Amino acid sequence: MRTIICAAMLLSSAGTAFASGGIWCNVDDTAVTFDVGAGVTRGMGGPTFNFRGDLEIKARPAGDGLRKTVFEDSNLTQYWLDDKELRLNIYHEHEVANAFNSVELTILTKASDEGVYDGQYTLAVYDNAADTDKDGKPAELTGKVSCGAE
């Protein structure tokens, strides 16, 4: 009887393993380095889980609060994944002395091969201290990105 129960549990957990995959993107260019990724379920509309990422803006001075950012689940504000494209929008606010700074990373890619997505990223960086004319416009960095999905 114990063997039957163990076999049934093993078979049911094997089905769960095939019910999820992952997405990831990374860049290491002259402006930024970033690596982001998440698990993606195959059913229920394909929600993500365990989203994580690291971003470094190379032009920012060492010790600057906007130079390095760690992303978590709550920072992935939107995503789209199908056979044709992968899109991510990632937003993180930094509070410094009662002033808010932010980074918003937008990744737009198209499938170039099965599970491979190539395209562009745009990083919008809002630095409250550098916004001397108070127009609220962020500085933008752009470049090529390569992503994968399974």
Side-chain angles (χ1 to χ4, degrees), residues 20-24 40 42 81 115 148-150:
S20 63
I23 56 174
W24 59 92
V40 179
R42 301 251 192 256
L81 172 64
E150 59 180 13

Side-chain angles (χ1 to χ4, degrees), residues 24-27 81-87 107-121 143-149:
W24 59 92
C25 300
N26 51 51
V27 165
L81 172 64
D82 63 14
D83 294 337
K84 297 176 186 166
E85 55 188 8
L86 169 63
R87 296 175 173 220
I107 298 171
L108 304 174
T109 65
K110 297 217 180 267
S112 60
D113 200 359
E114 185 176 337
V116 178
Y117 296 80
D118 294 314
Q120 294 285 121
Y121 75 84
K144 295 182 185 275
V145 64
S146 181
C147 300

